[in-house]
């Protein structure tokens, strides 16, 4: 028997890279090449080609799946999860197992894409609408978005909104010192780019006399637990023309007067404690709620109610023209993908517990805090703050550090505010026994003469009646029907069945890299040693995480050719912003304050101009040549014309046209010669790994979309992670954090951090195991093969389709990179068919459409990824070829240009099985245009959704129940 | 299909029209513009008293597919705003030259109108622009 035959049976690369060696050769031949490597040699420019990529240590060869699980178990064992009373916006929670397994661990939920294609997304659109309803009901403000990244950046978005509401005429933003420190720092960092001045003062010292204040931010309850009456505060702010932002806590709002009733203009917060693990910082769904008056200045995606082609209610993402890829440098925010999966979890938690269940949890949390406060007064060893509180008790004592240390010995984490102050925050997972242990900690060795249980009858409520919530919330039947596990399970699956995901078919969205999120990669993210860690737990308790960060940082440095990585940015857009802020800080450090010009090719990613605008940069656009490549002469002219002020170039490579531009190294040189730095957008990194690298090409900083190339699932619109890699000279400026300092991995010799980018020190740390395991299991060879096969798959599809649709851009040897664009513009003239018609008709074939009308209007961008099998590639091509034939029927006059199978798409069962059918084509043709649909048909649940109706009639919360729901609620 | 172009108006190359009556002018976007934009769902309007400058943006018009700045064809001060568009943005589609007007201004420089196109020039301009796409 050969040695090869005795090697482990659970190697991973062959499970991820779908094409077999035979298929690789077959597809390369089909494209006109002898083999895969000659195709790659003809595609990747020689000037930037790496000989090979090698990892150090055990990772180079790649771990098997079982070795990977063992490795992660070892890391997990190095995390010491103490009982957390730290609070500060992060609380442990009981994730209902029915939600954990059926949403967080369910690929049918986590492999969905952002719901642009509303007809095959009605399930998560409903769940996200539930989320918006939770937020609006609890905050008392009528509009909410369907998530932001974290509470700190949500507050920064609110600050930017205040600036925009007052049209940039007032340049000071006041932050009360009772806000969480991470929130304050994120806002300060963000304010720099908007030329806003942040003033942090005690709430009683807030002063508007300068007349320059656009907004004020307060925390409710405060970071140290106090619940203040903001009624007069808000009136005074409004009297001075100042907008009020409240950062708040959802669980508290079930018991406290809602911010909307104080007159708050904007309310932000996090949904974390509604059923989402702390996860050492995230991901969690943050929110921003406001009035309809500010709807068009509101960041983030919003779900709206509309109608479909038959007049039936249907949901969609509303006001999409606010998004950055349309607004570009006029965008008021760069937020894009957010935290849809976590918003779904939070919504389901609210659905499952219902209004009474949530209030019971809140009362219990409040009760435990109250019993603790009462017990401390009896002990007499410390002073308890007198102000009303919800869940956090502020304690002053002579030696806070000593108490903190005693608690640590009992595996309890408290918040050490200063040498005399501790806060103790209670949550859903706290028990009476925990309170007894706290009494022992604070007793300082004295015997405790009582128990929490014995004190309970003495405590009633610490919230004054004037601050008690009176208004009802979550009255809609959806929050009152699904309180048994069977009911919630069926509700989850009812919604799931309406949504297309990678469980059904490939999702060939150009630039989105919708690839396999392997089961082994997804396993550690739900292990308690990873989920239950508070982001501000002492670093020595999180050595498993820290070791993973170190390993991942070094692996990413090897992959990118950079010297140091920050893991703090928790979305692609956050990474773009962080990357530009690093460049800005670098220039400032050299005294080059005038360097504020950012050159951006028109082929850049949609969020790039928005990110540059957020850094206060002046954008200079440069065009492309006839082949879609950056016009190098135009770029050189722009760089030389701005050489005294040039800060950065933002470039995507390969370009968003799916082409390895030959002159990329020359472009980098031009920028450097004129004093600028090169930021590379890592969205197309899937075509670089192992073949070249941003650092090798000449970039200085690059963000990585770990939710694209590195396998974090898209979650229906997030979570994601956007860490940034930098060359050595930029490493000192990587972001840090006010509570737990962070910086580059590996650590640079000097640090001069640009500020804080995310609320948590390492962003959404809980999902880093996904990318880490992917890289570690693939090894350097597997990753390089992944890039090659991604390119092969794209070229194979382009070849199969080129005789049916024009392929818009190619490289110098006629090949494409990992994605390509097909041009549908001619069909508008010949058949009246638009990309939207093709995308909707693809639904009838069981597919999600490719990226539509971007970067070129009237086109589709297709990115297959390496994890799709040849059979699936062929199936998708067959669908597009069949649709091309359907278009031909219109062109030949055999089908009505206004009433044809494409204009009528998609065809839901309700339309097909209606008593009357008046279409000039058969029902069978509408529903079963391809043979594979006989064995497995994914049915859209609505006809084409009316975007115009939805944007003209903006409704963003659950509507009054229909009769069926109302009847079900009565019987429940 | 060709878009409607009225004879007694002046046109900017960013597809706004202007009707001048003494020292007052009425602005809107052209039929050609609304056709390319698609169904309008929102019109961002300036405040009365706001100054507008020739060629500079004073508002935006939003469809489900795109957002376009509205550039001022001539300079002046806003004296009236079509509030009807707040409730019925579709008027820009159904009646771009009449009920879908956007703002009225008091002119600051009557001579600026000479830089604009008349209806014949504008029709040719649109044909040439469409031919490029």
């Amino acid at each position: 028997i050969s040695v090869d035959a005795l090697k482990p049976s659970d190697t991973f690369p062959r499970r991820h890279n779908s094409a077999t060696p035979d298929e690789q050769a077959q597809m390369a031949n089909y494209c006109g090449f002898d083999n895969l490597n000659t195709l790659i040699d003809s595609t990747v420019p020689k000037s930037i080609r790496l000989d090979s990529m090698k990892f150090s240590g055990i990772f180079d060869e790649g771990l098997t799946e079982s070795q990977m699980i063992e490795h992660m178990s070892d890391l997990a064992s190095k995390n010491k999860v103490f009982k957390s009373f730290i609070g500060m916006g992060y609380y442990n929670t009981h994730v209902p197992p029915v939600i954990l397994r059926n949403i967080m661990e369910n690929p049918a939920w986590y492999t969905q894409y952002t719901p642009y294609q509303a007809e095959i997304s009605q399930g998560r659109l409903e769940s996200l609408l539930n989320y918006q309803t939770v937020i609006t009901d609890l905050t008392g403000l009528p509009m909410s978005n369907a998530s932001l990244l974290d509470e700190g950046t949500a507050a920064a978005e609110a600050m930017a909104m205040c600036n925009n509401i007052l049209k940039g005429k007032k340049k000071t933003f006041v932050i009360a010192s009772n806000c969480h420190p991470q929130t304050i720092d994120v806002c300060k960092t963000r304010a720099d780019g908007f030329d806003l001045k942040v003033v942090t003062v005690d709430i009683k010292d807030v002063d508007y006399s300068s007349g320059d204040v656009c907004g004020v931010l307060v925390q409710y309850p405060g970071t140290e637990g106090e619940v203040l009456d903001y009624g007069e505060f808000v009136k005074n702010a409004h009297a001075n023309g100042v907008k009020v932002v409240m950062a708040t806590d959802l669980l508290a709002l079930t018991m406290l007067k809602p911010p909307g009733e104080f007159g708050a203009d904007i309310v932000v917060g996090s949904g974390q404690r509604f059923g989402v693990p702390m996860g050492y910082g995230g991901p969690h769904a943050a929110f921003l709620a406001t009035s309809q008056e500010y709807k068009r200045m509101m960041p983030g995606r919003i779900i709206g109610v509309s109608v479909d082609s038959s007049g039936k209610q249907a949901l969609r993402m509303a006001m999409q023209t606010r998004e950055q890829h349309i607004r570009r440098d006029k965008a008021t925010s760069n937020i894009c993908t957010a935290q849809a999966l976590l918003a779904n979890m939070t919504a389901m938690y609210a659905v499952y517990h219902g209004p009474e269940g949530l209030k019971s949890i809140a009362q219990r949390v409040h009760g435990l805090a109250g019993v603790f406060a009462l017990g401390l007064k009896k002990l007499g060893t410390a002073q308890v703050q007198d102000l009303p509180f919800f869940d956090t008790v502020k304690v002053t004592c002579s030696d806070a550090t000593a108490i903190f240390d005693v608690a640590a010995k009992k595996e309890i984490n408290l918040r050490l505010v200063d040498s005399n102050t501790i806060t103790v925050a209670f949550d859903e997972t706290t028990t009476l026994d925990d309170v007894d242990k706290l009494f022992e900690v604070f007793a300082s060795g004295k015997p405790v003469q009582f128990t929490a249980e014995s004190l309970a009858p003495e405590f009633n409520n610490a919230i004054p009646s004037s601050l008690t919530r009176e208004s009802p919330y979550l009255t809609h039947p959806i929050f009152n029907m699904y309180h048994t596990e069977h009911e919630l399970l069926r509700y989850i699956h009812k919604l799931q069945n309406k949504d297309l995901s990678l469980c059904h078919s490939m999702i060939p969205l150009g630039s989105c890299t919708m690839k396999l999120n392997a089961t082994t990669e997804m396993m550690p993210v739900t292990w308690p040693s990873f989920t239950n860690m508070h982001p501000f737990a002492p670093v020595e308790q999180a050595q498993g995480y820290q070791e993973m960060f170190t390993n991942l940082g070094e692996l990413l440095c090897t992959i990118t050719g950079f010297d140091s990585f920050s893991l703090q940015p928790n979305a692609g857009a956050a990474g773009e912003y962080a990357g530009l802020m690093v460049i800005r800080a670098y220039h400032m450090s050299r005294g080059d304050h005038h360097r504020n010009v950012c050159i951006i090719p028109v082929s850049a990613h949609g969020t790039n101009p928005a990110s540059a605008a957020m850094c206060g940069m002046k954008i200079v656009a440069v065009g492309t040549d006839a082949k879609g490549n950056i016009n190098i002469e135009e770029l050189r002219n722009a760089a030389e014309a701005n050489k005294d002020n040039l800060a950065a170039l933002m470039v995507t490579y390969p370009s968003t046209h799916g082409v390895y531009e030959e002159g990329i190294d020359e472009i980098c040189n031009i920028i450097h010669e004129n004093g600028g730095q090169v930021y590379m957008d890592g969205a197309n990194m899937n075509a670089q790994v192992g073949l070249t690298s941003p650092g090798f090409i000449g970039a200085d900083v690059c963000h990585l979309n770990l939710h694209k190339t590195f396998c974090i699932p898209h979650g229906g619109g997030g979570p994601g992670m956007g860490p940034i890699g930098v060359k050595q000279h930029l490493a000192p400026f990587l972001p840090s954090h006010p509570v737990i300092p962070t910086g580059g991995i590996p650590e640079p010799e000097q640090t001069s951090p640009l500020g804080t980018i995310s609320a948590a020190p390492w962003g959404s740390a809980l999902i880093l195991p996904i990318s880490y395991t992917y890289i570690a299991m693939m090894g350097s060879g597997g990753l390089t093969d992944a890039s090659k096969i991604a390119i092969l798959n794209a070229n194979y599809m382009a070849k199969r389709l080129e005789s049916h649709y024009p392929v818009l851009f190619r490289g110098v040897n006629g090949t494409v990179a990992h994605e390509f664009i097909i041009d549908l513009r001619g069909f508008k003239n010949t058949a009246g068919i638009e990309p939207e018609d093709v995308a909707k008709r693809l639904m009838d074939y069981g597919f999600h459409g490719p990226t539509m009308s971007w970067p070129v209007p009237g086109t589709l961008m297709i990115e297959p990824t390496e994890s799709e099998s040849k059979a699936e590639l062929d199936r998708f091509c067959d669908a597009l070829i069949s649709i091309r034939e359907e278009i031909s029927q219109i062109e030949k006059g055999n089908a009505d240009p206004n009433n044809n199978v494409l204009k009528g798409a998609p065809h839901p069962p309700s339309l097909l099985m209606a008593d009357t059918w008046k279409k000039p084509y058969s029902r069978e043709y509408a529903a079963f245009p391809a043979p594979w649909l006989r064995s497995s048909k994914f049915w859209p649940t609505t006809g084409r959704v009316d975007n115009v109706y939805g944007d003209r009639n903006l409704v963003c919360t659950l509507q009054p129940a229909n009769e069926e729901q109302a009847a079900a609620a009565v019987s429940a | 299909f060709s878009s409607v172009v009225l004879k007694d108006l002046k046109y900017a190359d960013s597809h706004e029209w202007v009707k001048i009556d003494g020292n007052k002018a009425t602005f809107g976007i052209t039929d050609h513009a609304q056709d390319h934009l698609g169904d309008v769902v929102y019109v961002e309007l300036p405040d009365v008293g706001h100054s507008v400058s020739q060629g500079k943006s004073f508002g935006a018009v939003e469809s489900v597919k795109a957002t376009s700045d509205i550039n001022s064809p001539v300079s002046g001060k806003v004296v009236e705003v079509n509030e009807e568009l707040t409730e019925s943005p579709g008027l820009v589609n159904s009646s771009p030259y009449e009920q879908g007007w956007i703002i009225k201004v008091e002119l600051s420089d009557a001579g600026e109108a000479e830089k604009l196109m008349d209806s014949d020039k504008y029709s040719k301009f649109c044909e040439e622009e469409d031919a490029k796409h």
Side-chain angles (χ1 to χ4, degrees):
Chain A
I1 187 166
S2 67
V3 172
D4 275 353
L6 298 177
K7 288 189 173 176
S9 61
D10 63 336
T11 54
F12 180 70
R14 63 201 168 95
R15 304 302 194 194
H16 181 91
N17 294 332
S18 281
T20 64
D22 283 351
E23 284 170 337
Q24 289 171 34
Q26 186 184 337
M27 289 192 285
N29 289 166
Y30 185 83
C31 296
F33 293 90
D34 288 339
N35 54 56
L36 173 62
N37 283 326
T38 55
L39 184 151
I40 300 303
D41 292 343
S42 297
T43 301
V44 183
K46 289 180 175 54
S47 60
I48 59 163
R49 184 70 184 272
L50 282 175
D51 282 342
S52 65
M53 177 182 74
K54 291 291 179 191
F55 293 143
S56 58
I58 61 174
F59 298 116
D60 189 59
E61 188 178 68
L63 277 60
T64 67
E65 294 194 78
S66 54
Q67 287 169 346
M68 191 77 245
I69 290 171
E70 187 177 343
H71 177 85
M72 297 308 293
S73 296
D74 181 58
L75 290 182
S77 71
K78 296 174 181 175
N79 285 337
K80 297 179 172 61
V81 182
F82 285 15
K83 192 78 192 188
S84 177
F85 294 91
I86 298 171
M88 296 172 75
Y90 299 93
Y91 309 89
N92 213 341
T93 179
H94 291 306
V95 185
V98 62
I99 294 173
L100 181 70
R101 176 166 285 215
N102 291 288
I103 295 187
M104 189 170 175
E105 293 178 333
N106 182 353
W109 278 89
Y110 64 65
T111 67
Q112 300 162 353
Y113 187 60
T114 302
Y116 287 110
Q117 299 296 344
E119 297 83 1
I120 50 176
S121 307
Q122 291 297 300
R124 63 188 174 288
L125 286 166
E126 178 170 330
S127 181
L128 294 171
L129 191 71
N130 293 349
Y131 177 79
Q132 288 176 184
T133 304
V134 169
I135 304 305
T136 53
D137 275 16
L138 288 176
T139 61
L141 284 174
M143 268 193 70
S144 168
N145 56 20
S147 77
L148 291 176
L149 299 178
D150 56 50
E151 181 173 316
T153 57
E157 298 287 352
M159 176 183 70
M161 262 183 83
C162 292
N163 183 42
N164 293 326
I165 289 169
L166 294 171
K167 297 177 165 59
K169 291 172 182 171
K170 299 188 174 185
K171 303 306 289 186
T172 301
F173 188 75
V174 175
I175 302 183
S177 55
N178 75 344
C179 295
H180 297 317
Q182 68 271 21
T183 299
I184 296 173
D185 256 47
V186 168
C187 287
K188 283 181 176 175
T189 303
R190 186 75 69 89
D192 266 352
F194 292 120
D195 196 28
L196 275 177
K197 176 185 164 200
V198 167
V199 174
T200 304
V201 294
D202 193 280
I203 199 145
K204 64 182 191 302
D205 298 323
V206 169
D207 174 22
Y208 306 122
S209 58
S210 67
D212 191 47
V213 180
C214 63
V216 60
L217 169 66
V218 296
Q219 190 98 36
Y220 174 69
T223 190
E224 291 169 10
E226 77 280 7
V227 175
L228 304 178
D229 188 329
Y230 286 108
E232 286 302 315
F233 183 89
V234 174
K235 277 184 195 145
N236 183 45
H238 286 167
N240 285 276
V242 173
K243 301 301 172 187
V244 177
V245 183
M246 281 192 183
T248 188
D249 178 88
L250 287 184
L251 192 62
L253 295 184
T254 62
M255 294 184 69
L256 298 180
K257 181 172 174 175
E261 291 176 19
F262 286 118
D265 298 288
I266 302 169
V267 177
V268 299
S270 169
Q272 180 264 312
R273 80 189 304 178
F274 278 21
V276 180
M278 289 190 287
Y280 207 38
H284 315 126
F287 60 83
L288 185 149
T290 188
S291 70
Q292 286 256 349
E293 181 181 0
Y294 306 131
K295 63 192 180 189
R296 281 192 155 76
M297 294 181 197
M298 198 178 179
R301 292 183 171 139
I302 296 166
I303 309 307
V305 180
S306 185
V307 294
D308 76 351
S309 51
S310 60
K312 192 175 70 170
Q313 176 178 296
L315 307 178
R316 60 184 277 275
M317 289 201 315
M319 296 194 294
Q320 287 179 44
T321 51
R322 289 173 312 120
E323 290 204 21
Q324 300 76 22
H325 60 276
I326 295 178
R327 303 286 288 170
R328 298 182 74 83
D329 58 318
K330 291 190 173 65
T332 55
S333 165
N334 75 343
I335 183 88
C336 186
T337 295
Q339 310 279 32
L341 187 70
L342 298 315
N344 288 331
M345 289 178 68
T346 288
M348 287 299 175
Y349 182 91
V351 167
Y352 199 33
H353 285 289
E356 292 307 314
L358 293 174
K359 188 161 188 181
S360 294
I361 294 168
Q363 287 172 334
R364 184 175 167 279
V365 166
H366 179 59
L368 289 166
V371 166
F372 171 72
L374 193 57
L376 242 59
K377 288 172 185 170
K378 285 182 183 291
L379 279 182
T381 53
Q383 214 66 30
V384 177
Q385 175 178 243
D386 234 358
L387 296 171
F389 56 84
F390 164 64
D391 65 358
T392 303
V393 178
K394 179 178 177 179
V395 183
T396 54
C397 50
S398 56
D399 188 353
T401 304
I403 292 181
F404 180 87
D405 290 340
V406 171
K409 288 188 173 71
K410 290 182 180 293
E411 297 200 346
I412 289 171
N413 282 336
L414 307 175
R415 178 186 179 189
L416 186 62
V417 179
D418 57 46
S419 59
N420 298 111
T421 311
I422 280 176
T423 58
V424 186
F426 296 79
D427 63 38
E428 185 187 7
T429 69
T430 310
T431 65
L432 287 167
D433 280 352
D434 294 325
V435 181
D436 286 333
K437 283 180 187 157
L438 288 170
F439 289 150
E440 290 172 24
V441 167
F442 280 88
S444 302
K446 286 168 50 182
V448 183
Q449 306 288 352
F450 49 80
T451 63
E453 190 172 330
S454 68
L455 292 179
E458 296 179 44
F459 179 77
N460 188 28
N461 195 309
I463 299 168
S465 57
S466 60
L467 289 175
T468 299
R469 180 177 191 117
E470 302 289 350
S471 41
Y473 55 93
L474 304 186
T475 56
H476 192 280
I478 281 180
F479 300 105
N480 294 277
M481 288 166 61
Y482 304 117
H483 297 167
T484 65
E485 176 163 331
H486 236 167
E487 286 292 332
L488 189 70
L489 179 69
R490 288 170 183 151
Y491 182 58
I492 289 173
H493 280 260
K494 181 172 90 169
L495 299 190
Q496 171 187 320
N497 287 343
K498 300 180 179 189
D499 289 17
L500 187 134
S501 69
L502 287 173
C503 295
H504 301 94
S505 59
M506 73 185 290
I507 299 181
L509 283 154
S511 203
C512 301
T513 316
M514 295 289 285
K515 60 160 84 175
L516 174 67
N517 316 111
T519 305
T520 299
E521 293 159 14
M522 296 301 294
M523 286 168 67
V525 303
T526 55
W527 293 352
S529 293
F530 290 114
T531 60
N532 296 341
M533 186 76 69
H534 192 288
F536 306 146
V539 169
E540 55 267 23
Q541 294 172 17
Q543 287 305 297
Y545 264 117
Q546 297 299 319
E547 184 175 331
M548 179 180 67
F549 295 161
T550 299
N551 291 343
L552 181 58
E554 288 173 5
L555 291 165
L556 293 177
C557 282
T558 300
I559 288 168
T560 57
F562 284 131
D563 301 307
S564 193
F565 255 85
S566 166
L567 300 176
Q568 188 174 116
N570 56 352
E576 290 180 25
Y577 166 71
L580 289 180
M581 288 293 276
V582 165
I583 290 173
R584 183 173 181 272
Y586 166 78
H587 288 311
M588 296 287 198
S589 76
R590 291 155 51 88
D592 288 335
H593 300 267
H594 48 90
R595 291 202 174 272
N596 70 340
V597 167
C598 183
I599 295 177
I600 304 184
V602 296
S603 55
H605 256 83
T607 47
N608 286 183
S611 297
M614 284 170 63
C615 295
M617 291 186 181
K618 180 189 159 196
I619 293 152
V620 171
V622 294
T624 55
D625 60 23
K627 293 183 176 165
N629 297 325
I630 294 172
N631 188 316
I632 295 181
E633 208 48 42
E634 189 178 332
L635 180 136
R636 185 195 310 276
N637 291 338
E640 289 173 351
N642 290 283
K643 70 180 193 303
D644 292 334
N645 300 306
L646 181 60
L649 165 74
M650 297 184 90
V651 64
T652 302
Y653 199 80
S655 74
T656 59
H657 296 160
V659 171
Y660 287 99
E661 301 186 12
E662 290 286 320
I664 186 62
D665 47 338
E666 182 184 359
I667 287 167
C668 292
N669 287 335
I670 289 169
I671 297 301
H672 291 144
E673 283 163 10
N674 288 282
Q677 299 287 300
V678 176
Y679 159 87
M680 185 170 282
D681 189 299
N684 291 351
M685 193 66 196
N686 209 46
Q688 287 200 33
V689 179
L691 303 177
T692 181
S693 71
F696 186 70
I697 289 169
D700 302 289
V701 54
C702 175
H703 90 276
L704 294 179
N705 294 28
L706 298 190
H707 48 289
K708 296 185 180 185
T709 303
F710 298 101
C711 296
I712 289 173
H714 208 77
M721 270 288 267
I724 57 171
V726 296
K727 282 289 178 65
Q728 188 170 348
H729 65 289
L730 298 179
F733 309 102
L734 291 170
S736 186
H737 195 276
V739 181
I740 297 190
T742 63
I745 302 167
E747 196 170 0
E749 287 175 12
Q750 304 167 346
T751 59
S752 182
L754 62 89
T756 307
I757 295 293
S758 303
W762 291 280
S764 297
L766 183 61
I767 50 179
L768 290 176
I770 301 166
S771 299
Y772 178 64
T773 53
Y774 168 68
I775 294 166
M777 288 194 291
M778 292 288 276
S780 56
L783 288 170
T784 304
D785 287 346
S787 301
K788 292 179 175 179
I789 293 167
I791 294 163
L792 172 67
N793 285 357
N795 278 278
Y796 174 73
M797 293 181 80
K799 189 70 180 180
R800 277 211 64 197
L801 293 172
E802 71 183 2
S803 56
H804 305 275
Y805 300 92
V807 172
L808 199 52
F809 301 113
R810 294 181 188 268
V812 295
N813 293 317
T815 58
V816 300
H818 66 314
E819 64 191 2
F820 62 101
I821 296 175
I822 58 172
D823 191 351
L824 307 184
R825 288 174 293 185
F827 303 129
K828 177 161 184 171
N829 298 326
T830 62
I833 293 299
E834 307 236 23
E836 185 178 34
D837 300 317
V838 174
K840 301 313 178 188
R841 181 56 173 159
L842 277 165
M843 293 174 186
D844 289 333
Y845 284 82
F847 284 107
H848 192 296
T851 299
M852 225 166 56
S853 283
W854 184 82
V856 181
T859 66
L860 295 176
M861 200 205 310
I862 298 169
E863 179 184 359
T865 86
E866 71 281 359
S867 57
E868 294 303 337
S869 64
K870 180 175 180 296
E872 186 69 354
L873 304 180
D874 283 328
R875 202 166 69 92
F876 188 79
C877 289
D878 290 343
L880 275 180
I881 291 167
S882 182
I883 289 172
R884 178 65 183 93
E885 176 56 30
E886 292 171 352
I887 296 173
S888 291
Q889 293 303 311
I890 303 168
E891 290 172 328
K892 293 170 182 170
N894 295 335
D896 186 323
N898 295 310
N899 190 10
N900 55 66
V901 77
L902 283 96
K903 291 295 183 186
H907 299 87
S910 56
L911 178 65
L912 293 158
M913 297 176 73
D915 286 343
T916 60
W917 175 261
K918 294 177 179 173
K919 307 280 187 183
Y921 48 88
S922 74
R923 302 188 215 221
E924 181 173 12
Y925 179 49
F928 297 101
W932 61 81
L933 297 166
R934 302 290 175 173
S935 62
S936 183
K937 167 74 174 178
F938 180 86
W939 293 96
T941 48
T942 67
R944 196 178 295 204
V945 175
D946 190 331
N947 286 322
V948 177
Y949 180 97
D951 274 0
R952 285 181 177 170
N953 303 277
L954 189 66
V955 172
C956 303
T957 55
L958 288 166
Q959 293 304 282
N962 56 42
E963 286 174 11
E964 176 190 311
Q965 285 173 324
V970 169
S971 65
Chain B
F1 172 82
S2 66
S3 53
V4 175
V5 178
L6 302 189
K7 273 189 168 24
D8 59 345
L9 305 177
K10 293 284 195 172
Y11 299 88
D13 57 17
S14 46
H15 302 290
E16 293 89 10
W17 58 264
V18 57
K19 180 174 186 177
I20 297 174
D21 185 0
N23 75 331
K24 290 225 171 21
T26 306
F27 300 168
I29 66 168
T30 65
D31 187 40
H32 177 94
Q34 69 81 25
D35 180 59
H36 276 266
L37 210 42
D39 291 292
V40 172
V41 298
Y42 178 68
V43 184
E44 181 190 314
L45 299 164
D47 299 319
V48 169
H50 185 72
S51 292
V52 296
S53 301
Q54 185 175 53
K56 296 281 175 44
S57 167
F58 66 81
V61 59
E62 192 175 302
S63 75
V64 292
K65 292 188 295 184
T67 296
S68 272
D69 285 338
I70 314 172
N71 295 333
S72 188
V74 290
S75 305
K77 188 201 288 185
V78 179
V79 294
E80 196 176 342
V81 167
N82 187 359
E83 301 287 2
E84 199 71 32
L85 298 181
T86 303
E87 285 301 311
S88 307
L91 288 173
V92 171
N93 297 109
S94 59
S95 182
Y97 297 114
E98 284 153 21
Q99 296 171 74
W101 65 274
I102 297 176
I103 62 171
K104 295 185 180 182
V105 309
E106 185 176 294
L107 293 176
S108 61
D109 180 353
E112 279 180 332
E114 288 166 24
K115 299 176 188 171
L116 303 175
M117 290 177 272
D118 62 22
S119 56
D120 288 340
K121 276 187 180 172
Y122 180 63
S123 292
K124 287 195 183 71
F125 175 79
C126 290
E127 285 166 17
E128 286 163 11
E129 194 179 64
D130 282 345
K132 287 179 196 170
H133 290 338

